[in-house]
Amino acid sequence: MAVKFNPYIGFKDQARPAMEFYKTVFGGDLKLSTFKELHATDDPAEENLIMHSVLEVSDGMVIMASDTPSRMEYKKGTDLSLSLSGQAADEKELTGYFDKLSEGGEVVQPLTKAQWGDIFGMVNDKFGIRWLVNIGADAEK
């Protein structure tokens, strides 16, 4: 399995209509998961917001997005992250990237098991760019 690299867009309550629009532009297969489905909120107002979405286009292009929950800051202009993802076979490579990106930067979320079963972490590198690293659920840490 190869490591995948793609944009991850953060929205404030607009992930569903935005991703549905991008599907009309690019085509492909759209998957939407709500905060409720992923057991990721105690706030009834956030239950139907999108915690994770992925639009996979036939030519290999992938766009991911989510809504920003109220417990996290949403600031226009800083709503784009870069995502690195893979499976257990890629764990050493992805962990190495995470560690190197952390040097001189700020770990926002250490690489730990997430609600959806994968190992996930976030880091702002020393240039202020947010990176998301996701290692598939079959990875053991």
Side-chain angles (χ1 to χ4, degrees), residues 79-112:
D79 44 8
L80 182 66
S81 301
L82 299 176
S83 172
L84 295 168
S85 58
Q87 297 299 317
D90 309 306
E91 182 174 7
K92 184 177 179 181
E93 182 179 3
L94 287 163
T95 300
Y97 291 147
F98 186 87
D99 292 343
K100 289 175 184 174
L101 288 164
S102 300
E103 292 173 10
E106 173 195 9
V107 173
V108 178
Q109 164 71 49
L111 282 172
T112 55

Side-chain angles (χ1 to χ4, degrees), residues 6 14 42 59 77 95:
N6 60 273
Q14 295 294 309
D42 294 326
D59 65 2
T95 300

Side-chain angles (χ1 to χ4, degrees), residues 7 17 41 65 76 113 123 126 130:
T41 188
K76 198 79 169 145
K113 189 165 184 172
V123 61
K126 63 183 174 182
R130 172 144 311 166

Side-chain angles (χ1 to χ4, degrees), residues 3-20:
V3 171
K4 295 179 183 178
F5 174 76
N6 60 273
Y8 201 111
I9 307 166
F11 291 95
K12 188 64 177 170
D13 307 340
Q14 295 294 309
R16 181 183 304 273
M19 292 301 281
E20 288 170 347

